[in-house]
Amino acid sequence: MPHSDFARKIAITGGAGFIGSNLLQHMVRKYPDCLFVNIDCLTYAGNLSNLVGLEQAGNYRFEKIDIRDNQALAACFEKYQFDALIHLAAESHVDRSITGPADFIETNIGGTFNLLEIIRRTTQDGSSFRLHHISTDEVFGSLGPKGYFTEKSAYRPNSPYSASKAASDLLVRSYHKTYGLDVVTTNCSNNYGPYQFPEKLIPLIINNARNGKPLPVYGDGKQIRDWLFVTDHCEAIDLVFHKGIAGETYCIGGHNEMENISIVRLICKLLTQRLGCQPLDRLIQFVTDRPGHDRRYAIDASYIKSQLGWEPRFTFETGIKMTLDWYLENQAWLENCVSGEYRKYYETTYSNR
Ligand code: NAD
Ligand code: TYD
C-alpha cells in the first residue's frame, strides 16, 4: 500500500530497543490503518530480532538511520511525510554514561535537537505534527526516604545519562513554548520485561544466575527503584500520544518500590525453584558502588490517572514471574545478545532489500 493511503504515518525512533520494540509490537497490531516507521541505527542495544513477526505486517517499515545524521533524517521525513513521531532513541544505560558520556550527549541531546529542527521546518506551513518525547524519572535526581516525583518536581539530574535526558526534555519544552510545536513528554520509572538488554539489573541478574556467575549488587543494595512492567508503559505511551495535552508532561510509574537487594534475592528464589538447583543467592556479591548513585526513585502517577485514566495493570509479583518465564523460554535470545550473534539478524533479513 502506498504511504499516502495510510490514515497516519508515525515515526518511532529507537524501535529496535527494549521499550521501542515492545511499543511497536503493541501499536502495529492495534492500529492497522497507520504506518509505523522504525528509525534506528542499531547500536549494541538495537536488536531487530525483538521485532520478529512485524516484517510481514503491511503497516511496518524499518529505516537504519542514525538520528545524529541530519541529512539521512531529512531524506526519511521527505520520503514518508510523517504526521507524528514517538521518540525513544537514546543511549540508555547509566553505567555506560559514566565510562563514556560522549555518545549520550551526541545522541540524546544532539539527536533530539536534529529531530526538533526537522519537525519545526516540516510544520512551518502550519501543518500539525505530534511529537511524543519519551523520558525518564531520573531527570528529577534522587529522593530521600519519603515523597514522590510529580510533574512539578525540579530537574536535578545526577548522571551524564540523566543530564542528557534532562537537556533533551528542556529542548522539547522550548520548541513548544517558542515555536508552538505539538509536544508531549512522559517521564517514566524503571521498566522491566521481555527484550531488555542484559546489562540492566533484572535481565543481568537472570542471565548471570542461570549461568552460575556472580550477581553484582552495587554498594549496600538498598537503593530503591519504582519498577513498571514494560507493556504497562506502552499502554501509557499509547494514551498520552493520542490524548495527551500539547505542552504537558506526564509522570508514569508502577507503584512498585523495591530495594535492589530484594529484587536480586527474589530472582534467586524464583530461579532456584524453577531450576531445582542449589540456592542461587550464594552468588550475590556486594561490589563498589556506582559513582553519583541515586538512592531512591518513586513516581506519583495520579495526574495521568486522573487525566487519562491510566493505571498499571501488573503488580511486580506478576510481572517478575512473567519476565522470568520469558527469559527462560528465550535463552537463545539472551545468548545471542551476550555473544553479539543478534547483529546477524539485520544482515540476513535486510541486506538483500
Ligand atoms: P535501549 O537502550 O534498549 O534502546 C535504545 C534504542 O535506540 C536502540 O534500539 C538503539 O539502537 C537506538 N539508538 C541509540 N542511539 C541511536 C541513534 N543515534 N540513532 C538511532 N537510533 C539510536 O533503551 P530503552 O530502555 O528501550 O529506552 C528507550 C527510551 O526510553 C530512552 O529514551 C530511555 O531514556 C527511555 N526510558 C527508559 C527506561 C527504562 O527503564 N529502560 C525508563 C524510562 C525512560
Ligand atoms: P539499572 O538497571 O542500570 O537502571 P538505572 O540505573 O537506570 O536505575 O540499575 C537499577 C539499579 O540496580 C540501580 O540502583 C543500580 C543497580 N545495579 C546493581 O546493583 N547491579 C548491577 O549489576 C546493575 C546493572 C545495576
Side-chain angles (χ1 to χ4, degrees):
M1 184 151 115
H3 307 151
S4 51
D5 286 1
F6 286 96
R8 268 179 118 191
K9 292 158 302 261
I10 300 165
I12 298 200
T13 65
F18 163 48
I19 301 171
S21 59
N22 278 282
L23 182 68
L24 275 163
Q25 296 279 5
H26 170 90
M27 300 287 258
V28 168
R29 294 192 169 93
K30 185 168 171 190
Y31 301 104
D33 57 337
C34 295
L35 177 68
F36 293 91
V37 180
N38 175 11
I39 297 177
D40 196 303
C41 73
L42 304 182
T43 66
Y44 77 93
N47 183 346
L48 286 178
S49 64
N50 297 0
L51 294 157
V52 65
L54 286 194
E55 287 98 0
Q56 286 75 39
N59 62 332
Y60 169 76
R61 308 277 187 281
F62 171 64
E63 294 285 348
K64 187 172 186 296
I65 289 172
D66 192 321
I67 60 166
R68 291 170 289 189
D69 182 345
N70 233 330
Q71 282 186 346
L73 269 184
C76 183
F77 271 64
E78 183 63 34
K79 176 174 169 187
Y80 291 101
Q81 301 287 314
F82 295 120
D83 305 290
L85 164 72
I86 308 179
H87 176 35
L88 298 102
E91 289 293 339
S92 70
H93 190 37
V94 174
D95 289 334
R96 285 180 190 256
S97 83
I98 294 168
T99 50
D103 284 345
F104 288 72
I105 306 306
E106 289 165 15
T107 286
N108 299 1
I109 306 177
T112 303
F113 171 67
N114 285 341
L115 290 164
L116 285 165
E117 274 295 279
I118 287 178
I119 297 167
R120 181 167 77 90
R121 288 201 297 273
T122 309
T123 53
Q124 261 166 1
D125 62 357
S127 60
S128 63
F129 188 107
R130 166 139 287 201
L131 166 64
H132 183 160
H133 175 59
I134 306 296
S135 192
T136 163
D137 60 353
E138 304 194 23
V139 297
F140 303 125
S142 189
L143 286 166
K146 289 197 178 140
Y148 296 91
F149 296 134
T150 72
E151 291 74 12
K152 295 192 169 62
S153 296
Y155 272 44
R156 291 196 183 92
N158 292 321
S159 71
Y161 163 66
S162 54
S164 67
K165 291 298 291 186
S168 66
D169 292 11
L170 298 181
L171 272 174
V172 168
R173 176 192 153 90
S174 77
Y175 271 63
H176 171 70
K177 295 280 182 191
T178 306
Y179 305 112
L181 258 57
D182 173 5
V183 307
V184 282
T185 294
T186 43
N187 296 92
C188 187
S189 62
N190 286 61
N191 284 213
Y192 68 101
Y195 299 114
Q196 187 167 32
F197 196 81
E199 63 181 355
K200 304 277 167 62
L201 180 70
I202 288 179
L204 180 131
I205 296 297
I206 295 173
N207 189 43
N208 282 16
R210 83 185 173 96
N211 286 310
K213 287 191 184 161
L215 309 178
V217 174
Y218 300 165
D220 63 4
K222 294 194 171 163
Q223 302 82 6
I224 291 174
R225 300 291 182 262
D226 173 1
W227 295 91
L228 181 68
F229 193 62
V230 64
T231 55
D232 276 330
H233 188 190
C234 293
E235 283 177 7
I237 294 173
D238 184 356
L239 261 182
V240 173
F241 174 65
H242 286 103
K243 297 195 175 142
I245 296 167
E248 286 288 273
T249 67
Y250 298 84
C251 283
I252 304 170
H255 309 304
N256 271 316
E257 284 186 57
M258 300 271 292
E259 285 185 350
N260 294 338
I261 186 64
S262 309
I263 291 187
V264 174
R265 288 199 194 285
L266 178 63
I267 293 173
C268 287
K269 188 176 132 205
L270 294 171
L271 254 184
T272 302
Q273 285 165 359
R274 300 276 169 95
L275 303 177
C277 57
Q278 292 290 313
L280 287 163
D281 54 6
R282 71 186 190 284
L283 300 171
I284 292 174
Q285 283 188 8
F286 289 91
V287 299
T288 308
D289 207 353
R290 173 192 276 174
H293 199 169
D294 289 334
R295 195 69 181 165
R296 175 171 169 256
Y297 303 144
I299 289 272
D300 172 356
S302 52
Y303 184 64
I304 186 170
K305 182 179 176 189
S306 67
Q307 297 301 302
L308 302 176
W310 178 86
E311 267 189 304
R313 288 197 290 134
F314 297 97
T315 62
F316 190 76
E317 249 193 346
T318 315
I320 195 70
K321 284 185 187 147
M322 286 160 62
T323 303
L324 210 58
D325 284 344
W326 188 87
Y327 282 98
L328 290 178
E329 281 158 20
N330 291 276
Q331 298 201 22
W333 181 92
L334 256 182
E335 273 148 29
N336 286 342
C337 279
V338 177
S339 67
E341 190 70 13
Y342 67 101
R343 296 185 172 282
K344 291 197 180 141
Y345 191 85
Y346 172 71
E347 288 151 30
T348 51
T349 315
Y350 286 91
S351 59
N352 298 327
R353 293 189 187 178

